[in-house]
Amino acid sequence: MTTLKNIAKAVLPFAILSGLVQFLSGRDILNPYWVQIFQLACVVAISALGLNLIYGFTGLFSLGHAAFYGVGAYTAALLTKQYMGAYGEQAFFATGAVFLCSLLAGGVAAALLACLVGLPTLRLTSDYLGIATLGFGVIMKVVFDNADSLVPQLGGARGMTGIQRLTSIPWAVAALVAAILVIRNLVHSSYGRALIAIREDEIASAAMGIDTFRYKVIGFTTGCAFAGVAGGLYAHLYTFLHPSTFDFLKSFDVLMIVVIGGLGNLTGTLVASFVWVFLLEGMRVALPPEYIEFRWVLIPLLLIVTMLIRPRGLFGIREFPLLRGKVYR
Amino acid sequence: MNGLQLGFVYALIALGYTMVYGIVRLINFAHGDIFMVGAFLAFYSIEKLHLPLPAVFALAAGGAAFLAVVIERVAYRPLRNAPKIAALITAIGVSLFLEYFTALHQVFGPNYYAFPRPFQVVSREVGGITVTNIQWIILLATLASLGALQYVVYRTKVGRGMRAVSHDHVTAGLMGVNVDAVIAFTFGLGAALAGVGGVLYGIAYPQINTFMGVMPGLKAFTAAVLGGIGSIPGAVLGALIMGLTETMTTAYLSSIYRDGIAFVLLIAVLLWKPTGILGKARTEKV
């Protein structure tokens, strides 16, 4: 009973939020552009939560997050493209099921790759791990660029087109809620405590009997699976994929969101994702056309100022009540 | 020879990364953009001011050094005792700012510019290899910079300060080293080298724009890690390996793999020696 209550408590705010956005867009109060941005913010938040698990909770410095995001996006897009036609256009449940399976497959693909990359590289420490994952990101960009020589549908450097638009507000919000629930419960489980222990002091946690390498692989793989699912949602939101979206520089965007929100802080990541996406896209509309390139001048300035004022992130260690654990803290 | 030419330019940038990392443990992502500013200063001093070549080098190096010291003072110094990641994010912020600010129409502008050749290209054969005078200049300028660096680090008072701070900056401060000044000097010195690198890059690959620093910056940093970050000979060695691999890949495989192969190499080396080729392995103390 309490579990049901807890789930209801977590889902309710998001249901209200998505209902509100849905309602406003239905009445033409909110234009489609902003609705799309709202969905993008949900997608970015899922990916950022994944990186927060990797870097914020486990302390693994990963600079290759965008690569896993891309793997998820390409996998999911390829699957829906391949199997969607088979069940007819109108069958709602079949469409939904195929989409769900593709998203999960995107997550699994990203997780498998993360496992493959993580097994050798997670033995490296801090900055060296960062540069190795960054290198992996650059390698994956080259792979995406030349993917059409392996599978022609992936489009390679010309970009992948013809993806159906399947991501909608309910999908985006449901995925975000699921991501929050999974990560919150994971972080406050014995697994999560092991991950945090590794972040705080690897040697001490090894001495306490934690198999540090195994937990690091678990943390890294799970976080990357989140990126994969988010990538799948992204692919079916913009219906076009280009390798430059998954450039290594995009990994920095997610990293900045996580750090601005506060490492190991779920509230911060959520708020920072929404603020980041809305600032970035909002300035496109708010600034007069001749000043549009000032967008990327203002954002770094804001970023620097934020870091100078609050080096530990906007929220520090404060969390929304719903995201707090019972025992921990 | 083309590989060495690229390698030497990478070496000049890599030295800045390795020195800054060695002294404050910060990956200075803005370094590649300081390299870009050096190239642009040279571009304007040749195109608008018609300065002679030595003056161009001096101006680019001086301008880059000044910029780096300002950045260090404004953006990094206040975060010296904050978590490391805050400074790193600030570095990314500075990098983005430099790229997009200089790309504004009011500053340098977003276009590609043709870098003027200050002299005619002459190639001559030496012992069976064709060497252009550009390559001679790059070789000489890099060796001169390296010599100067070696002298500064090992033979001067400030160099001794740098080595002391990189070892343990708290103790160095207690021993009367002006830590802030030494760190600012390191940033400036690294940036001056990057400025020289920018001029050489402009002469060798005569097309510049404000985002030109991203890839060379990343590759130079990778080179520094490859050679063992914090080590000056390591940076040069890593950069030469990097330049040669890249040129070889373009020549014998295909240019599409060029960006990827260097990183495959990096990951391979890190797995074999986790602190780079010439890096010292540190045992963790409890």
Side-chain angles (χ1 to χ4, degrees):
Chain A
M1 219 24 224
T2 45
T3 356
L4 273 179
K5 223 185 200 169
N6 280 340
I7 291 175
K9 256 201 301 192
V11 171
L12 205 62
F14 294 97
I16 294 171
L17 185 66
S18 68
L20 193 69
V21 176
Q22 189 86 304
F23 175 77
L24 289 177
S25 63
R27 293 291 170 88
D28 286 333
I29 300 170
L30 216 58
N31 73 40
Y33 181 70
W34 288 105
V35 175
Q36 194 172 18
I37 291 177
F38 174 77
Q39 294 175 33
L40 179 65
C42 291
V43 172
V44 170
I46 296 171
S47 168
L49 284 173
L51 186 65
N52 201 356
L53 183 68
I54 297 173
Y55 187 44
F57 288 102
T58 321
L60 303 169
F61 189 34
S62 167
L63 291 174
H65 212 59
F68 297 104
Y69 189 59
V71 169
Y74 275 104
T75 311
L78 189 65
L79 285 175
T80 54
K81 234 174 135 177
Q82 217 70 310
Y83 294 109
M84 201 49 101
Y87 299 100
E89 292 290 316
Q90 299 309 318
F92 176 76
F93 279 106
T95 316
V98 171
F99 186 36
L100 183 64
C101 291
S102 312
L103 288 182
L104 293 178
V108 170
L112 281 179
L113 191 67
C115 203
L116 213 65
V117 174
L119 283 178
T121 54
L122 287 175
R123 298 190 189 275
L124 299 171
T125 48
S126 65
D127 287 340
Y128 291 98
L129 177 63
I131 191 73
T133 45
L134 180 65
F136 171 73
V138 179
I139 294 170
M140 282 315 285
K141 169 78 168 24
V142 175
V143 172
F144 292 144
D145 271 335
N146 301 300
D148 52 339
S149 53
L150 279 172
V151 186
Q153 287 97 320
L154 292 180
R158 276 169 286 118
M160 183 174 182
T161 52
I163 307 163
Q164 281 189 44
R165 198 187 163 118
L166 294 167
T167 307
S168 56
I169 297 172
W171 274 106
V173 174
L176 180 59
V177 172
I180 294 171
L181 281 178
V182 169
I183 216 157
R184 187 198 89 137
N185 290 351
L186 179 69
V187 165
H188 296 134
S189 70
S190 62
Y191 278 87
R193 284 197 296 276
L195 297 181
I196 293 166
I198 291 172
R199 172 191 74 189
E200 294 298 330
D201 192 330
E202 202 174 326
I203 297 172
S205 45
M208 297 298 287
I210 296 170
D211 184 349
T212 52
F213 183 68
R214 180 167 158 255
Y215 277 95
K216 281 203 275 187
V217 174
I218 290 174
F220 188 65
T221 312
T222 319
C224 291
F226 278 87
V229 173
L233 286 166
Y234 174 85
H236 296 89
L237 176 63
Y238 281 91
T239 68
F240 175 70
L241 293 179
H242 192 270
S244 67
T245 320
F246 311 112
D247 201 355
F248 71 95
L249 289 172
K250 302 289 180 218
S251 301
F252 291 156
D253 289 6
V254 196
L255 182 71
M256 289 192 251
I257 290 173
V258 171
V259 177
I260 289 175
L263 291 174
N265 183 311
L266 299 178
T267 316
T269 305
L270 283 176
V271 173
S273 310
F274 276 79
V275 169
W276 175 268
V277 172
F278 274 88
L279 255 185
L280 204 60
E281 302 301 322
M283 273 199 218
R284 224 191 267 273
V285 189
L287 291 176
E290 64 268 30
Y291 290 108
I292 201 104
E293 58 280 30
F294 275 87
R295 199 160 67 111
W296 273 108
V297 177
L298 292 175
I299 284 180
L301 283 180
L302 272 177
L303 188 73
I304 297 170
V305 171
T306 315
M307 277 293 106
L308 289 177
I309 298 171
R310 292 197 74 91
R312 279 168 204 284
L314 285 176
F315 284 82
I317 56 163
R318 275 169 296 168
E319 291 268 24
F320 283 155
L322 282 176
L323 300 172
R324 253 181 238 147
K326 290 208 181 88
V327 202
Y328 171 63
R329 273 183 208 131
Chain B
M1 217 40 218
N2 285 326
L4 287 181
Q5 168 186 338
L6 190 62
F8 276 122
V9 177
Y10 283 163
L12 284 174
I13 315 172
L15 285 171
Y17 274 113
T18 214
M19 284 195 297
V20 166
Y21 189 89
I23 211 157
V24 283
R25 303 272 174 273
L26 166 71
I27 305 173
N28 183 11
F29 276 108
H31 197 62
D33 303 297
I34 287 173
F35 158 81
M36 174 273 292
V37 170
F40 265 89
L41 284 176
F43 169 73
Y44 283 110
S45 57
I46 296 177
E47 193 92 335
K48 297 270 151 57
L49 305 173
H50 306 288
L51 291 176
L53 203 55
V56 170
F57 276 112
L59 189 82
F66 176 72
L67 180 66
V69 171
V70 171
I71 292 172
E72 196 273 333
R73 182 69 197 86
V74 175
Y76 301 150
R77 191 177 298 179
L79 290 172
R80 185 125 340 125
N81 297 319
K84 226 172 61 176
I85 184 68
L88 185 79
I89 294 290
T90 315
I92 297 173
V94 171
S95 160
L96 287 173
F97 176 75
L98 283 179
E99 284 161 22
Y100 285 92
F101 180 72
T102 51
L104 292 178
H105 288 288
Q106 293 82 343
V107 192
F108 296 157
N111 304 324
Y112 279 92
Y113 298 93
F115 196 90
R117 279 264 151 89
F119 45 79
Q120 286 294 310
V121 181
V122 190
S123 35
R124 210 178 302 153
E125 209 155 301
V126 181
I129 322 162
T130 329
V131 187
T132 62
N133 55 350
I134 295 180
Q135 288 166 339
W136 279 119
I137 289 187
I138 290 183
L139 185 72
L140 290 178
T142 309
L143 289 181
S145 313
L146 274 178
L149 184 68
Q150 201 71 11
Y151 175 78
V152 168
V153 172
Y154 289 102
R155 292 279 180 274
T156 60
K157 202 174 162 191
V158 69
R160 201 186 310 145
M162 279 164 69
R163 284 179 287 142
V165 173
S166 84
H167 218 76
D168 181 342
H169 68 99
V170 180
T171 315
L174 293 174
M175 296 295 166
V177 178
N178 185 347
V179 177
D180 280 342
V182 166
I183 291 177
F185 180 78
T186 312
F187 269 87
L189 189 61
L193 292 176
V196 172
V199 186
L200 294 176
Y201 192 87
I203 295 174
Y205 310 93
Q207 203 187 35
I208 59 173
N209 99 329
T210 58
F211 297 97
M212 65 182 263
V214 178
M215 252 345 214
L218 182 67
K219 297 231 179 89
F221 175 62
T222 311
V225 176
L226 190 69
I229 197 152
S231 138
I232 289 175
V236 178
L237 180 70
L240 291 181
I241 294 176
M242 202 77 175
L244 285 173
T245 332
E246 232 177 75
T247 321
M248 296 288 179
T249 315
T250 318
Y252 296 111
L253 280 167
S254 160
S255 63
I256 50 173
Y257 300 119
R258 194 189 61 194
D259 289 345
I261 204 93
F263 291 95
V264 174
L265 183 76
L266 169 82
I267 293 176
V269 169
L270 284 185
L271 294 180
W272 163 61
K273 271 200 92 169
T275 47
I277 299 174
L278 295 182
K280 287 191 202 85
R282 286 187 190 186
T283 43
E284 267 179 83
K285 288 176 208 147
V286 182

